[in-house]
Amino acid sequence: YERAVVGLFAALDDMEARLARNKYIFGDNLTAADIYLFPTVYRFDAVYSPLFKCTLKTIRADYSNISRWVGTMQAAKSTVGSTCDLEGTRRQYFSSLFPLNPSGIIPLVPAPPADTS
């Protein structure tokens, strides 16, 4: 577990550094990498961090460039933004993964940033 968590946050640190230089992960153009990575990053603070105990950092508080990228991706309503239903996703994950959450409790998390698009 500890080795995996450290590796996860090393990958997020790398993504943060890339996004400090670029609008998207591999430059100024949206690629498949952005589209495939978006759902995981979008869900991270609200679902994956508490459910999988990956709590060293949060996207919202510790990764400003990734947070900006998430906002950019959400604003792209025609590509990925229209698929964002964080509350529905949270309910599904926390209620259906019994071995990881036997109590069925859906933890409270900070509200997502307001959609400004």
Side-chain angles (χ1 to χ4, degrees):
Y1 161 80
E2 290 176 9
R3 186 175 29 204
V5 168
V6 169
L8 167 66
F9 285 99
L12 287 171
D13 292 342
D14 179 64
M15 185 178 176
E16 177 73 3
R18 286 177 178 275
L19 291 169
R21 301 182 305 270
N22 304 311
K23 181 176 180 180
Y24 296 104
I25 295 169
F26 291 113
D28 291 329
N29 297 310
L30 181 69
T31 67
D34 297 285
I35 293 169
Y36 285 113
L37 192 54
F38 173 73
T40 300
V41 175
Y42 176 72
R43 297 171 183 163
F44 186 82
D45 288 350
V47 178
Y48 301 142
S49 177
L51 187 61
F52 300 117
K53 316 302 187 266
C54 299
T55 55
L56 290 177
K57 298 179 184 179
T58 64
I59 301 298
R60 173 184 273 183
D62 300 297
Y63 293 106
S64 61
N65 296 312
I66 297 175
S67 293
R68 176 189 44 77
W69 173 81
V70 167
T72 298
M73 295 296 289
Q74 279 184 278
K77 294 290 186 194
S78 63
T79 51
V80 293
S82 62
T83 67
C84 299
D85 178 10
L86 195 54
E87 280 309 306
T89 300
R90 285 172 31 74
R91 281 191 305 276
Q92 180 64 30
Y93 268 91
F94 284 100
S95 63
S96 66
L97 294 176
F98 179 79
L100 295 175
N101 188 29
S103 66
I105 294 171
I106 300 172
L108 297 175
V109 296
D115 185 1
T116 57
S117 59

